[in-house]
Amino acid sequence: MILLTLALATATPVTLPAVLAQANDGDTIRLAAGTYRDVVIDRTFARGITIDAEKATVRGLRIAGGGILWQSGMVMAPDGRDGFAYLGYGALVTGTNVTFTGVTFTNAKKAVVLDRASGITIMDSVFIRLGEDGVIASRTSRLVVQGNRFTQTIGKPTTCLTRRGIVYGLARRDCIARFGLWVDGYHADAVQMRNAVVDATIANNVIDGNTQGVTQMDTVGDAPLRRITVEDNHVAANAHQITLGKCVDCVIRDNTVRRWRWNGYRAVIRRGRARRCGNQVQDEASDGRC
């Protein structure tokens, strides 16, 4: 008979690396109040550990290991909303079996970036005042994004430098017509999936603000998505409220979709290959029941 001794440890910004190195399966690590920078977890815990971050602010979190339950607290990017590459990420997860619950993600260009990850759950959390994406996933499997709120996205408009000054929000062609120098802005999505995301459920989230909603935004060479369910979400976004494309065995059902503000974009669902039913959509006829 094997007895497991479960421990409760308190870590500070200085001691956290050592506490993580000594942690055992089943342990709980409580983060003392403070700001934690560049937190890296590269160990995998077969039976899992809990990190209680209620009093902590983390600026830059990277999880390449797994078996992590991260509870509460605030996660930001090292360089905030305009940080370049990973310096603009709140959390970068490339590991397996990681759950975030009750977390506030803010002041990041991209709040949660998932790449080659699996078994990821993000639930009952708030994504607020971000520059761009809430959750962006690629090559990820077994993803659940459930019961979260995405709001107050700040974004960044296009800029056009002309002889008369800077003009914001112009399309590239309009800037060129004015002989201006055009720089693209941010393309914010609450939840974006691309390139071989499989077995994902996006459910019971509230999306409200100057962002796109739940989207598949592919680039050349991306593999299709497979077995994606988008259900019971309340989406008020400025474009692409719910958009899927090359999505195999996917379903969009029982969502409520409307415009965030009137800006020329209609509130519609672009289903691609997905099946849809039970949705209430502001600028489309209602679907039949599922």
Side-chain angles (χ1 to χ4, degrees), residues 27 54 66 91 150 218 242 254 288:
D27 286 355
E54 181 179 4
F150 301 81
D218 292 331
I242 299 177
D254 297 330

Side-chain angles (χ1 to χ4, degrees), residues 231-247:
E231 63 183 355
D232 293 314
N233 300 284
H234 290 260
V235 182
N238 65 14
H240 288 289
Q241 290 85 5
I242 299 177
T243 294
L244 297 179
K246 296 184 295 181
C247 198

